[in-house]
């Protein structure tokens, strides 16, 4: 039978071990996200969001294709104006196929929406979504192929309406997004990512926001078609360029009711559009930029390590384990680690610059493709107006940047339908392009303006002569006026309080000024640990004193780092600060026991190293692989911000220490209880023996 009081600590220990393994698994996934090829990130995140955005758009076009006849007969004397033709009744089979296509697509959209909101499992939702979209595309393609043969009839002037072209866009979109989801399912089936969408709140609601905008646009078109006496698809064209703030002006409300209704309708549409564009921006600029930046960092890291190996500097990448190695290399282990850290900072800086310009080139290319390709399609669609390609470029440009002069406008049915689809793509693309320009071109112009001001009418602290030297030094990378400006890419960022305070990691102290009351709860914990440390010292319990002082330091730094979470740009710590934080979580930059040479190539899920800071500092880690500032387990790798990484490790270390202390106290209380019980049992046994002896003695006396 177990000793009383020990069962609960044993169970707690097992529970803590399970929690630790779960945390390690989650951390392993986060640290190796930069190793995942971009195509699998696109399949797991980008493709579902593209499908969730364009699925409702395709269904909206499907409704437009169903609500109006596909053919018109142009009366004599109307020229080539397709907008004033007489409707030709569609065959029954066309309407039936169109209706079935819409119903299947709605089921597919609803299934994907439930899957994104985690109301329906991946294995059930994806077959429904993919099959529904493919069938919808097939039904519409059948309608398109069947109707195209009966348009041209001898002796009659017939044309295709906007509904026909909306059906083309819907069929194409259904097929494309269904194919993207096939790729997503294939990647999940191969095990490249879990069978669920790990999306942020804004990304999960993107589909709902898109649906809201389309309902708002099409519903408004129905209202204006009734008020102004327009055809429904012409009203869709009007609401499209109104809500997207293009304002071509060939359609405008003429009634007082229509003009009065425009006030709330336009502002409401702009708000909904802002939500949609914001969610798309979240996908492209936040997730996309981080993924692109992570991959660039990994490629630059591999290139730098290969370059160092070619220069026969392999020894500087290996941990220095003894004095002999230190004398051969000419530096200590701490100095070698600091050099690694600066190399990683250099890689980060180069990768950040490249990532910004790469994102700008991608977004600018997409915008240019929309401009030139859109102009080409308008050129062919408006041939009856005798547009030249230059006129088409002019119209597309003024529409893309939402000027909308109105001197040129599409009159053909194909031109109007294409404009609606094209404008829905153009506005978010322009928004993303402007955001990327803010980090590159706009920033360069701003810096150039400041430099020109400093060397002319607004000299800075360095003066005109000093500024000229700095410009010359920067232009020649330090070859001229080397001392005028540091051209080293390994400059350290500001100190932990933003003023460059130093941190002495070797002495185990911090020169940070005392933090304010960031959090009341942590402040109380800090005061309590300090009080208990003083009490332990007064009782001569130096071991408890050191433990409570350790807790006090962890809580104090926890409060300091909390201030850095919301800083913009994100806080980047210098090497001294990192050394201090690592020492708090059980790592010593001067000791090579937990260090290793950085691997050039890292294969995903092939290395299961212990996490940084796991286990007490005195734990023997021989035989376990360490980590490097230039390796895959570096805190500077991955998508986690530095302040968030430090805060998580500090809290995890404090939690582990407090749990260990709690379990030790339970074990001590259990052992004390067991000792008391054994003492009590032993005392009872002794009392019984003495009683029997006394009784026997009394009986003997009676006999005498």
């Amino acid at each position: 039978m177990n000793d009383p009081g020990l069962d609960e600590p044993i169970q707690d220990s097992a529970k803590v071990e399970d929690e630790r393994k779960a945390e390690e698994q989650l951390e392993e996934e986060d640290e190796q996200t930069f190793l995942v090829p971009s195509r699998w990130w696109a399949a797991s995140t980008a493709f579902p969001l593209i499908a969730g955005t364009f699925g409702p758009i395709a269904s909206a076009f499907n409704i437009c294709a169903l609500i109006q006849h596909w053919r018109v007969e142009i009366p004599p004397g109307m020229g080539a104006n397709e907008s004033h033709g007489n409707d030709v009744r569609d065959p029954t089979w066309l309407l039936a196929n169109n209706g079935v296509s819409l119903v299947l697509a709605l089921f597919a959209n609803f299934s994907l929406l439930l899957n994104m909101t985690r109301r329906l499992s991946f294995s059930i939702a994806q077959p429904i979504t993919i099959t529904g979209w493919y069938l919808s595309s097939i039904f519409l393609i059948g309608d398109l192929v069947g109707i195209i043969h009966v348009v041209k009839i001898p002796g009659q002037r017939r044309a295709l309406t906007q509904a026909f072209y909306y059906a083309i866009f819907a069929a194409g979109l259904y097929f494309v997004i269904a194919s993207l989801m096939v790729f997503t399912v294939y990647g999940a089936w191969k095990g490249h990512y879990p069978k669920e969408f790990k999306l942020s709140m804004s990304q999960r609601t993107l589909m709902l926001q898109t649906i809201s905008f389309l309902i708002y646009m099409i519903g408004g078109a129905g209202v204006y078609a009734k008020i102004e006496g327009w055809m429904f698809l012409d009203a869709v064209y009007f609401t499209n360029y109104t809500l997207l703030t293009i304002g071509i002006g060939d359609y405008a409300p003429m009634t007082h009711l229509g003009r009065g209704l425009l006030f709330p309708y336009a502002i409401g549409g702009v708000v909904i559009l802002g939500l949609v564009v914001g969610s798309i921006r979240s996908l492209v600029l936040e997730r996309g930029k981080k993924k692109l930046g992570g991959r660039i960092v990994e490629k630059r890291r591999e290139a730098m390590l290969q370059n160092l190996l070619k220069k026969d500097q392999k020894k500087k990448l290996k941990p220095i384990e003894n004095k002999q190695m230190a004398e051969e290399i000419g530096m200590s282990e701490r100095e070698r680690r600091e050099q690694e850290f600066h190399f990683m900072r250099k890689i980060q800086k180069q990768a950040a610059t490249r990532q910004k310009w790469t994102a700008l080139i991608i977004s600018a290319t997409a915008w240019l493709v929309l401009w030139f390709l859109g102009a080409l399609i308008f050129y062919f669609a408006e041939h009856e107006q005798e547009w030249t390609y230059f006129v088409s470029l002019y119209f597309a440009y003024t529409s893309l940047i939402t000027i909308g002069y109105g001197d040129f406008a599409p009159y053909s049915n194909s031109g109007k339908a294409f404009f609606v689809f094209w404008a829905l793509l153009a506005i978010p693309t322009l928004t993303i392009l402007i955001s990327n320009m803010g980090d590159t071109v706009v920033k360069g112009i701003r810096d150039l303006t400041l430099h020109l001001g400093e060397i002319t009418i607004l000299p800075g602290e360095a003066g005109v002569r000093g500024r000229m030297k700095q410009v010359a030094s920067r232009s020649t990378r330090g070859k001229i006026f080397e001392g005028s400006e540091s051209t080293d890419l390994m400059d350290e960022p500001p100190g932990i309080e933003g003023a460059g305070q130093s941190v002495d990691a070797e002495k185990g102290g911090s020169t940070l000024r005392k933090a304010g009351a960031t959090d009341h709860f942590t402040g109380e914990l800090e005061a309590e640990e300090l009080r208990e440390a003083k009490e332990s010292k007064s009782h001569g319990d130096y071991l408890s004193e050191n433990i409570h002082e350790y807790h006090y330091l962890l809580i104090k730094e926890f409060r300091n780092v909390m201030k850095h979470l919301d800083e913009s740009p994100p806080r980047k710590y210098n090497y001294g600060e990192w050394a201090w934080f690592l020492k708090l979580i059980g790592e010593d930059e001067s000791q090579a026991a937990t260090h290793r040479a950085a691997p050039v190539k890292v294969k995903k899920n092939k290395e299961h190293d212990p996490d940084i800071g796991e286990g007490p500092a005195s734990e023997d880690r021989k035989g376990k692989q360490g980590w490097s500032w230039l390796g895959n387990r570096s805190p500077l790798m991955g998508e986690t911000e530095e302040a968030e990484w430090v805060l998580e490790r500090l809290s995890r270390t404090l939690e582990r220490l407090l749990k260990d202390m709690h379990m030790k106290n339970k074990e001590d209380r259990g052992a004390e209880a067991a000792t008391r019980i054994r003492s009590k049992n032993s005392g009872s046994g002794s009392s019984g023996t003495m009683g029997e002896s006394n009784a026997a003695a009394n009986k003997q006396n009676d006999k005498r």
Side-chain angles (χ1 to χ4, degrees):
M1 187 174 68
N2 294 333
D3 290 339
L6 296 182
D7 290 340
E8 188 175 356
I10 293 175
Q11 294 174 359
D12 290 343
S13 179
K15 184 178 180 181
V16 170
E17 182 65 19
D18 292 339
E19 292 177 355
R20 187 184 66 81
K21 289 181 178 179
E23 289 177 352
E24 285 184 358
Q25 184 177 1
L26 291 174
E27 187 61 30
E28 182 76 19
E29 294 178 1
D30 180 70
E31 288 175 349
Q32 294 195 348
T33 52
F34 62 92
L35 300 176
V36 182
S38 299
R39 61 181 178 273
W40 296 122
W41 173 84
S44 63
T45 304
F47 288 174
L49 285 172
I50 291 173
T53 303
F54 285 94
I57 293 177
S59 296
F61 291 165
N62 202 339
I63 294 173
C64 294
L66 181 63
I67 210 166
Q68 186 174 328
H69 297 300
W70 285 20
R71 298 167 297 167
V72 293
E73 183 177 347
I74 303 175
M78 294 299 297
N81 195 334
E82 300 173 347
S83 302
H84 296 85
N86 299 322
D87 290 336
V88 177
R89 187 178 182 84
D90 293 327
T92 305
W93 56 265
L94 186 144
L95 296 175
N97 286 350
N98 207 343
V100 172
S101 172
L102 178 60
V103 171
L104 290 173
L106 291 177
F107 272 110
N109 287 326
F110 188 65
S111 175
L112 180 63
L113 178 61
L114 291 179
N115 190 203
M116 283 187 169
T117 56
R118 300 178 182 178
R119 303 293 180 87
L120 193 63
S121 66
F122 185 90
S123 57
I124 297 176
Q126 291 312 308
I128 297 174
T129 300
I130 294 171
T131 304
W133 279 336
Y134 270 134
L135 289 177
S136 297
S137 179
I138 291 172
F139 277 110
L140 284 177
I141 292 173
D143 282 349
L144 295 169
V145 173
I147 203 64
I148 199 69
H149 294 292
V150 296
V151 173
K152 294 184 178 181
I153 298 178
Q156 293 183 351
R157 298 181 61 209
R158 291 190 174 182
L160 296 167
T161 66
Q162 296 181 51
F164 175 84
Y165 298 103
Y166 279 118
I168 294 177
F169 300 145
L173 287 175
Y174 285 145
F175 185 83
V176 170
I177 59 180
S179 301
L180 292 179
M181 294 309 298
V182 168
F183 195 68
T184 296
V185 172
Y186 174 78
W189 178 63
K190 283 292 187 178
H192 293 290
Y193 42 82
K195 294 181 179 180
E196 61 177 345
F197 298 130
K198 294 183 177 180
L199 307 175
S200 65
M201 180 59 68
S202 61
Q203 292 169 345
R204 287 200 301 268
T205 57
L206 175 61
M207 190 173 183
L208 285 174
Q209 294 168 353
T210 306
I211 293 172
S212 301
F213 177 77
L214 293 171
I215 291 175
Y216 194 81
M217 185 180 73
I218 293 178
V223 173
Y224 271 98
K226 183 68 173 178
I227 294 174
E228 300 294 334
W230 297 333
M231 295 181 64
F232 176 76
L233 295 185
D234 288 337
V236 170
Y237 167 70
F238 161 76
T239 56
N240 174 265
Y241 71 64
T242 298
L243 297 182
L244 296 178
T245 68
I246 297 175
I248 295 177
D250 51 340
Y251 284 84
M254 303 302 293
T255 63
H256 290 298
L257 178 59
R259 291 171 177 172
L261 185 62
L262 184 66
F263 298 146
Y265 179 73
I267 193 64
V270 170
V271 171
I272 299 176
L273 178 65
L275 294 174
V276 175
V277 172
S279 296
I280 296 175
R281 186 180 182 276
S282 172
L283 165 65
V284 177
L285 297 184
E286 293 177 13
R287 297 295 301 173
K289 271 189 175 181
K290 284 186 177 181
K291 183 61 184 177
L292 177 62
R295 290 298 295 167
I296 292 176
V297 167
E298 173 62 13
K299 294 299 182 182
R300 298 291 299 178
R301 184 192 71 84
E302 293 177 3
M304 176 170 282
L305 289 175
Q306 290 173 352
N307 188 37
L308 290 175
L309 293 177
K310 289 180 181 179
K311 293 181 178 180
D312 197 22
Q313 296 186 10
K314 187 176 181 180
K315 292 182 179 180
K316 293 184 178 181
L317 298 176
K318 292 183 178 180
I320 300 174
E321 299 178 351
N322 50 56
K323 292 184 178 180
Q324 182 179 356
M325 293 181 62
E327 292 176 356
E328 291 178 0
I329 299 176
M331 65 177 67
S332 64
E333 172 62 9
R334 180 182 172 85
E335 292 172 339
R336 187 195 69 84
R337 293 280 289 184
E338 186 173 1
Q339 186 181 67
E340 274 191 357
F341 178 86
H342 291 314
F343 275 137
M344 195 64 211
R345 282 291 189 222
K346 181 178 180 180
I347 292 171
Q348 285 183 318
K349 188 170 184 178
Q350 294 175 346
T353 302
R354 184 175 177 181
Q355 177 265 324
K356 291 177 182 178
W357 285 101
T358 302
L360 176 63
I361 292 172
I362 293 173
S363 57
T365 302
W367 189 84
L368 290 174
V369 168
L370 278 174
W371 181 20
F372 290 113
L373 184 60
L376 182 64
I377 295 176
F378 284 123
Y379 168 71
F380 286 107
E382 300 301 322
H383 65 279
E384 295 292 343
Q385 295 193 68
E386 298 181 351
W387 279 14
T388 63
Y389 186 64
F390 178 78
V391 170
S392 299
L393 281 174
Y394 170 77
F395 168 75
Y397 183 80
T398 55
S399 299
L400 268 176
I401 59 178
T402 68
I403 295 176
Y405 288 126
D407 48 347
F408 290 94
Y411 287 162
S412 66
N413 290 332
S414 57
K416 290 178 181 178
F418 175 73
F419 179 87
V420 171
F421 178 45
W422 177 79
L424 289 173
L425 298 178
I427 302 306
T429 304
L430 177 64
T431 303
I432 294 169
L433 174 61
I434 293 174
S435 298
N436 288 328
M437 289 178 65
D439 296 334
T440 51
V441 178
V442 176
K443 182 177 182 297
I445 295 174
R446 182 191 62 194
D447 293 343
L448 178 61
T449 304
L450 292 176
H451 290 322
L452 290 176
E454 289 179 349
I455 63 177
T456 54
I457 59 175
L458 296 173
E461 295 180 358
V464 176
R465 186 176 179 181
R467 174 57 62 183
M468 295 295 292
K469 288 183 178 181
Q470 291 176 1
V471 172
S473 177
R474 184 184 293 112
S475 302
T476 59
R477 296 188 177 182
K479 294 180 181 179
I480 301 177
F481 301 116
E482 183 176 359
S484 299
E485 181 180 24
S486 176
T487 58
D488 190 1
L489 295 176
M490 300 180 288
D491 289 341
E492 295 182 350
I496 193 168
E497 288 294 336
Q501 290 89 346
S502 60
V503 179
D504 191 350
E506 291 298 320
K507 296 180 180 180
S510 172
T511 59
L512 308 175
R513 61 177 179 267
K514 191 171 182 179
T518 306
D519 181 39
H520 180 68
F521 178 69
T522 53
E524 290 182 351
L525 284 177
E526 182 180 331
E528 182 180 353
E529 293 295 338
L530 191 59
R531 184 173 60 255
E532 291 184 359
K534 292 180 179 179
E535 291 179 358
S536 299
K537 183 178 181 180
S538 63
H539 292 93
D541 189 354
Y542 297 106
L543 178 60
S544 298
E545 178 193 357
N546 292 335
I547 291 175
H548 288 298
E549 286 183 351
Y550 186 22
H551 293 173
Y552 165 75
L553 289 175
L554 286 172
I555 297 171
K556 184 171 183 280
E557 298 301 339
F558 185 92
R559 297 177 64 195
N560 290 333
V561 176
M562 280 183 64
K563 301 176 182 178
H564 307 153
L565 289 178
D566 297 327
E567 288 188 5
S568 182
R571 174 64 66 100
K572 293 186 180 298
Y573 301 112
N574 60 36
Y575 180 74
E577 292 165 341
W578 270 112
W580 169 240
F581 290 138
L582 290 171
K583 198 161 190 176
L584 285 177
I585 64 176
E587 293 283 337
D588 192 343
E589 285 290 275
S590 301
Q591 302 297 323
T594 57
H595 303 163
R596 69 167 179 178
V600 178
K601 292 285 186 180
V602 182
K603 294 183 179 180
K604 186 176 184 296
N605 294 330
K606 294 296 183 183
E607 297 182 0
H608 299 281
D609 305 342
D611 194 12
I612 299 174
E614 288 298 322
S618 59
E619 180 182 351
D620 183 14
R621 299 189 183 184
K622 292 182 180 180
K624 295 183 179 180
Q625 292 181 341
W627 64 281
S628 168
W629 285 108
L630 292 171
N632 62 306
R633 302 194 65 80
S634 170
L636 306 183
M637 295 290 287
E639 299 179 0
T640 307
E641 299 295 348
E642 295 183 20
E644 184 181 351
W645 192 98
V646 171
L647 191 66
E648 182 182 353
R649 296 315 187 285
L650 290 175
S651 61
R652 187 185 298 180
T653 302
L654 181 61
E655 181 183 4
R656 186 183 67 247
L657 292 172
L658 293 176
K659 284 184 177 180
D660 290 343
M661 178 179 289
H662 181 65
M663 291 170 57
K664 185 177 182 302
N665 291 337
K666 281 189 174 182
E667 291 176 359
D668 292 343
R669 289 195 297 269
E672 291 176 1
T675 302
R676 287 196 300 270
I677 292 174
R678 285 194 293 268
S679 299
K680 185 177 181 181
N681 291 338
S682 176
S684 300
S686 300
S687 300
T689 303
M690 291 177 62
E692 290 175 359
S693 300
N694 292 335
N698 293 333
K699 187 175 181 181
Q700 190 69 23
N701 292 332
D702 292 340
K703 287 182 178 180
R704 290 177 180 176

